[in-house]
Amino acid sequence: MAAGSSNYWEDLRKQARQLENELDLKLVSFSKLCTSYSGTRDGRRDRYSSDTTPLLNGSSQDRMFETMAVEIEQLLGKLTGINDKMAEYTNSAGVPSLNAALMHTLQRHRDILQDYTHEFHKTKANFLAIRERENLLGSVRKDIESYKSGSGVNNRRTELFLKEHEHLRNSDRLIEETISIAMATKENMTSQRGMLKSIQSKMNTLANRFPAVNSLIQRINLRKRRDSFILGGIIGICTILLLLYAFH
């Protein structure tokens, strides 16, 4: 019965790690898609300046975004279900010491799920913001081009619009670079946190595995202190006796 329960727990952990690896790869591809979206939209807009060309033009990136978002949400749902099953197992486990170790493992998987969920929602929100901004800028550019081609009047105003549009694009590039730096920093901090958690887990495992060693070390220290007190008392008595003998 215990062997069957252990196999069930290991199978759940194996499924959780597999889903976590798939989510990690999917989120990396999802992030790359979002960061490359703006540049691709700019290149397509330069190639298609005709008014008859739709803004999105059946963008394959938009379809890819929707597909990947659905896949990631499904993986997150599956991983949530696995974590729930692991939680049910830990609540039903009978050995308290084993249950503590299982709870530590479960908490680690929950932290990973929370990080992946937060990263997915953040990347998705950034992508939607970029797409909304690109649609707005594309509409402005289309209006400017239409006005410029429809009449040769107010060239000065048209130039101002174009300059303002260029300023906005430069600002967008700076914002994207800042976002990229922030994401790289987050990845480094996540990696460091994982390393610290691994070290802490190993230390806790050693402490739980060798409690008798700690008790033995404490007893040795107590005996060393007692022996030191006894030896100090003997030396003091001998010194007093020698002084008494010397003065008599």
Side-chain angles (χ1 to χ4, degrees):
M1 185 67 182
S5 299
S6 177
N7 292 335
Y8 176 72
W9 172 257
E10 290 299 326
D11 184 63
L12 290 176
R13 287 195 62 188
K14 182 178 179 181
Q15 295 180 34
R17 288 194 294 266
Q18 182 177 0
L19 289 172
E20 288 168 358
N21 292 333
E22 292 180 10
L23 275 169
D24 186 66
L25 295 175
K26 289 285 186 182
L27 288 172
V28 170
S29 300
F30 193 64
S31 178
K32 289 181 179 179
L33 173 66
C34 295
T35 54
S36 64
Y37 181 82
S38 178
T40 304
R41 292 289 299 273
D42 288 340
R44 182 171 62 240
R45 198 176 298 132
D46 291 337
R47 294 194 301 268
Y48 301 99
S49 59
S50 174
D51 293 342
T52 58
T53 304
L55 181 60
L56 292 180
N57 196 25
S59 172
S60 59
Q61 283 186 314
D62 292 331
R63 292 193 298 269
M64 188 179 300
F65 166 78
E66 299 296 338
T67 301
M68 292 184 67
V70 172
E71 291 175 355
I72 293 174
E73 288 176 350
Q74 291 176 351
L75 290 175
L76 289 173
K78 291 180 181 179
L79 185 56
T80 302
I82 294 297
N83 285 347
D84 292 340
K85 291 181 181 179
M86 294 172 72
E88 293 176 0
Y89 178 81
T90 55
N91 292 330
S92 62
V95 183
S97 60
L98 178 62
N99 195 22
L102 298 182
M103 288 297 297
H104 178 75
T105 302
L106 174 61
Q107 185 60 40
R108 184 166 176 247
H109 285 290
R110 282 177 172 173
D111 291 339
I112 294 174
L113 173 61
Q114 184 178 3
D115 290 339
Y116 284 159
T117 303
H118 177 72
E119 183 176 353
F120 168 68
H121 289 303
K122 182 178 179 180
T123 305
K124 183 178 180 181
N126 290 336
F127 180 91
L128 294 176
I130 291 173
R131 184 169 65 180
E132 182 179 0
R133 183 193 65 220
E134 290 293 325
N135 291 339
L136 178 60
L137 294 179
S139 177
V140 172
R141 183 182 178 89
K142 183 178 178 181
D143 293 338
I144 292 174
E145 292 293 335
S146 176
Y147 177 80
K148 185 177 178 180
S149 61
S151 62
V153 194
N154 297 328
N155 289 333
R156 177 60 180 171
R157 182 178 299 176
T158 302
E159 291 177 359
L160 291 175
F161 280 137
L162 292 174
K163 288 182 179 180
E164 186 66 24
H165 174 65
E166 188 64 25
H167 290 324
L168 289 174
R169 290 182 61 184
N170 292 334
S171 299
D172 293 338
R173 291 192 187 97
L174 292 176
I175 292 173
E176 289 173 1
E177 292 177 359
T178 304
I179 292 174
S180 299
I181 293 173
M183 292 180 65
T185 304
K186 176 186 176 295
E187 291 177 359
N188 291 332
M189 293 182 67
T190 302
S191 177
Q192 292 178 4
R193 185 178 66 178
M195 292 176 61
L196 292 175
K197 284 186 177 180
S198 177
I199 294 173
Q200 183 181 6
S201 176
K202 291 180 181 178
M203 295 297 293
N204 292 335
T205 302
L206 291 174
N208 294 330
R209 186 176 297 176
F210 304 108
V213 174
N214 295 332
S215 177
L216 179 60
I217 292 173
Q218 292 178 358
R219 291 180 181 178
I220 292 173
N221 291 331
L222 290 175
R223 289 188 178 182
K224 286 176 66 179
R225 292 179 182 176
R226 185 189 63 185
D227 294 341
S228 298
F229 289 145
I230 293 173
L231 181 61
I234 293 173
I235 292 173
I237 293 172
C238 291
T239 302
I240 293 172
L241 292 176
L242 287 173
L243 291 174
L244 292 175
Y245 178 78
F247 286 105
H248 282 76

